[in-house]
Amino acid sequence: MKKTVFKRKIYDEMLEWKRESAGETALLIEGSRRVGKSTIVRHFAEREYKSHLIIDFANTTEDVKSLFQNLGEIDSFFSHLKILTGKTLHERESVIIFDEVQMCPHARQAIKYLVADGRYDYIETGSLISIHKNVENIVIPSEEDVINMHPLDFEEFCWANGDFETIPFVRETFLKKKALTDAVNRKIMRDFRTYMLVGGMPQAVNKYIETKDFSKVDRAKRSIIRLYEQDFQKLDKTGKAAAIFKAIPSELHKNGSRFQVSAIAENAKTQTVANIVSMMEDSHTVNVAYHADDPSVGLELSSNKSVWKMYLCDTGLFVTLAFWDKKFIDNIIYKKLLNDTLDSNLGYVYENVVAQMLTAAGNKLFYYTWAAPGNHVYEVDFLLSRGFKLFPVEVKSSGYSTHKSLDEFCEKFSKRISNRYLVYTKDLRKDKETLLVPIYMVGLL
């Protein structure tokens, strides 16, 4: 399959790093596997530097790796590196890329000295990079700027499909708080549902653009999911991480107030589970929302690390994982999503995409639940901290616009609340103090 270089927003962040850093720091790009790190870094190096050297530590020689065991005299190090790789480098005009740097921890440790030398720029890419197993015997360099790379967001998906008009229009509409009209909303919602089905992993997006065949897209996503499962099996020999990963859709489907680990991993100790969840977060394959026990602008201060919900980093992968035991032709969610006939029992798909969009926009995820009369539980799906106020967010999987939990939350914590949002599938409008927002606008909240 032809590898397409999609337009990505991270490119501008990399340009800013190059300009602001001026060689004083390396750039570390973290993200899940297959999210496009290597592709965008290579593209950046080809366009922004006179020459570049890529060392793929997952596929390089032991001779190259051994250079980092003991840098010794720096001129000698560079001489040997150039001979072994056959690359010509130019002072302050070249970049050296450490791809999959977690495979060679000593190379990451060497960043401190290489940056201090100042001859070249350095970009590192890695998955599962901050897991203790990969860094326990090295000194983590402080001379790193870090950027997290996410799957393509909806705007990037539109760009990939040749649409550069929709999101600027949506952004302007949101800022002016104007309705789009039902016809326009229906069209954008259909495009957004396509995005939810395909997802934002470059391999799946490329397959969709090439074929417009959802069955082939589904096969591409399954290969990525299997890769993630294999990674979790390697990192957690007990199998708990892989089991938790596969249970994400079913746990969300239960619509409970927390992820019930006990149903998946019996007798798992609290600290063991916490370590596994932390490892899974580090992998960037999942997004975790923690319960805020006392919701205020300092959400992290009251977050309960033992009460959480988990989402997949990419909703396209989520859709495939939710029907993992079904052949593609039996995967009713594709037809239901595309034709806007998704019933309330499948609403967790929308919750996952909102979690994905909020994370990509730089938000940490928090939620809040509390007891209601009649053995009922109120829940606010997501809490955003903005300035000195909270923005509560409730998610609906349809055009259904009632928001009892949101109203009760805002009454309970009235002094802490500013804007309040109900995310749904219909047009932008106001319902008293609540702004009803089409789901494709979530990244603008």
Side-chain angles (χ1 to χ4, degrees), residues 309-333:
K309 291 187 174 184
M310 187 176 285
Y311 306 91
L312 256 69
C313 69
D314 178 72
T315 302
L317 297 181
F318 181 91
V319 168
T320 295
L321 187 61
F323 288 83
W324 187 253
D325 59 336
K326 303 285 188 182
K327 293 181 180 179
F328 169 78
I329 196 168
D330 299 320
N331 194 339
I332 61 170
I333 201 169

Side-chain angles (χ1 to χ4, degrees), residues 174-238:
F174 178 79
L175 290 174
K176 295 181 178 179
K177 301 297 184 290
K178 292 170 53 180
L180 290 85
T181 75
D182 288 342
V184 172
N185 179 68
R186 282 196 301 272
K187 195 274 179 188
I188 299 175
M189 274 304 307
R190 184 172 178 82
D191 292 342
F192 186 77
R193 290 194 296 272
T194 300
Y195 167 65
M196 291 172 67
L197 290 172
V198 175
M201 303 304 286
Q203 183 179 345
V205 175
N206 199 34
K207 183 61 70 175
Y208 172 73
I209 292 171
E210 285 184 345
T211 68
K212 296 297 189 291
D213 186 333
F214 284 115
S215 65
K216 293 180 179 179
V217 173
D218 193 70
R219 284 196 289 272
K221 291 187 292 178
R222 286 173 184 264
S223 70
I224 297 172
I225 290 172
R226 290 189 187 98
L227 185 67
Y228 290 172
E229 288 181 323
Q230 292 166 8
D231 284 344
F232 287 135
Q233 290 286 2
K234 292 177 185 176
L235 292 162
D236 172 38
K237 302 299 184 183
T238 70

Side-chain angles (χ1 to χ4, degrees), residues 155 236 240:
E155 183 170 21
D236 172 38
K240 292 183 177 67

Side-chain angles (χ1 to χ4, degrees), residues 130-132 273-283 288 290:
S130 57
I131 292 176
H132 299 305
V273 172
N275 291 339
I276 290 172
V277 172
S278 178
M279 178 269 286
M280 295 178 74
E281 279 193 283
D282 284 343
S283 76
V288 181
Y290 291 99

Side-chain angles (χ1 to χ4, degrees), residues 280-441:
M280 295 178 74
E281 279 193 283
D282 284 343
S283 76
H284 299 284
T285 58
V286 301
N287 298 317
V288 181
Y290 291 99
H291 192 275
D293 290 345
D294 182 23
S296 62
V297 290
L299 289 166
E300 190 69 56
L301 297 175
S302 71
S303 64
N304 188 336
K305 299 302 182 182
S306 64
V307 181
W308 43 270
K309 291 187 174 184
M310 187 176 285
Y311 306 91
L312 256 69
C313 69
D314 178 72
T315 302
L317 297 181
F318 181 91
V319 168
T320 295
L321 187 61
F323 288 83
W324 187 253
D325 59 336
K326 303 285 188 182
K327 293 181 180 179
F328 169 78
I329 196 168
D330 299 320
N331 194 339
I332 61 170
I333 201 169
Y334 280 83
K335 295 178 182 178
K336 284 181 173 291
L337 259 174
L338 204 57
N339 296 322
D340 196 22
T341 57
L342 190 71
D343 58 46
S344 59
N345 291 330
L346 296 175
Y348 53 86
V349 180
Y350 283 93
E351 191 175 336
N352 194 93
V353 78
V354 170
Q356 177 185 342
M357 295 169 79
L358 291 176
T359 299
N363 300 283
K364 290 188 175 182
L365 304 181
F366 301 93
Y367 71 106
Y368 183 69
T369 61
W370 72 104
N375 199 29
H376 181 64
V377 175
Y378 287 134
E379 178 174 333
V380 173
D381 296 308
F382 299 100
L383 297 170
L384 306 179
S385 179
R386 297 289 187 267
F388 297 102
K389 295 291 184 177
L390 289 177
F391 290 8
V393 179
E394 188 173 344
V395 181
K396 299 288 186 182
S397 61
S398 65
Y400 193 59
S401 59
T402 59
H403 38 84
K404 179 66 174 176
S405 291
L406 192 62
D407 292 341
E408 292 293 331
F409 178 85
C410 292
E411 182 176 344
K412 182 179 178 70
F413 298 103
S414 58
K415 294 182 179 180
R416 306 179 187 182
I417 306 301
S418 178
N419 299 7
R420 60 191 72 174
Y421 300 104
L422 181 129
V423 174
Y424 72 152
T425 62
K426 298 300 182 182
D427 202 352
L428 183 73
R429 68 183 181 87
K430 199 82 180 287
D431 181 11
K432 297 180 180 178
E433 298 299 316
T434 301
L435 187 65
L436 311 184
V437 181
I439 193 167
Y440 48 80
M441 290 185 177

Side-chain angles (χ1 to χ4, degrees), residues 126-139:
S127 305
L128 306 173
I129 201 159
S130 57
I131 292 176
H132 299 305
K133 180 179 179 181
N134 292 325
V135 297
E136 58 186 7
N137 295 319
I138 71 168
V139 176

Side-chain angles (χ1 to χ4, degrees), residues 38-100:
S38 301
T39 300
I40 197 67
V41 167
R42 182 186 295 272
H43 183 57
F44 183 80
E46 290 172 349
R47 294 185 63 182
E48 305 299 334
Y49 291 89
K50 186 174 181 179
S51 69
H52 65 277
L53 166 61
I54 300 177
I55 304 174
D56 180 359
F57 286 110
N59 190 36
T60 194
T61 66
E62 290 301 319
D63 289 335
V64 170
K65 288 183 179 180
S66 67
L67 292 177
F68 297 93
Q69 294 291 334
N70 186 1
L71 285 184
E73 205 276 314
I74 203 78
D75 288 331
S76 177
F77 166 80
F78 283 123
S79 295
H80 287 124
L81 184 63
K82 291 175 185 178
I83 290 170
L84 289 173
T85 60
K87 289 289 186 177
T88 299
L89 299 174
H90 308 272
E91 286 196 25
R92 301 307 317 139
E93 295 182 290
S94 297
V95 61
I96 299 177
I97 297 165
F98 294 167
D99 200 14
E100 300 294 351

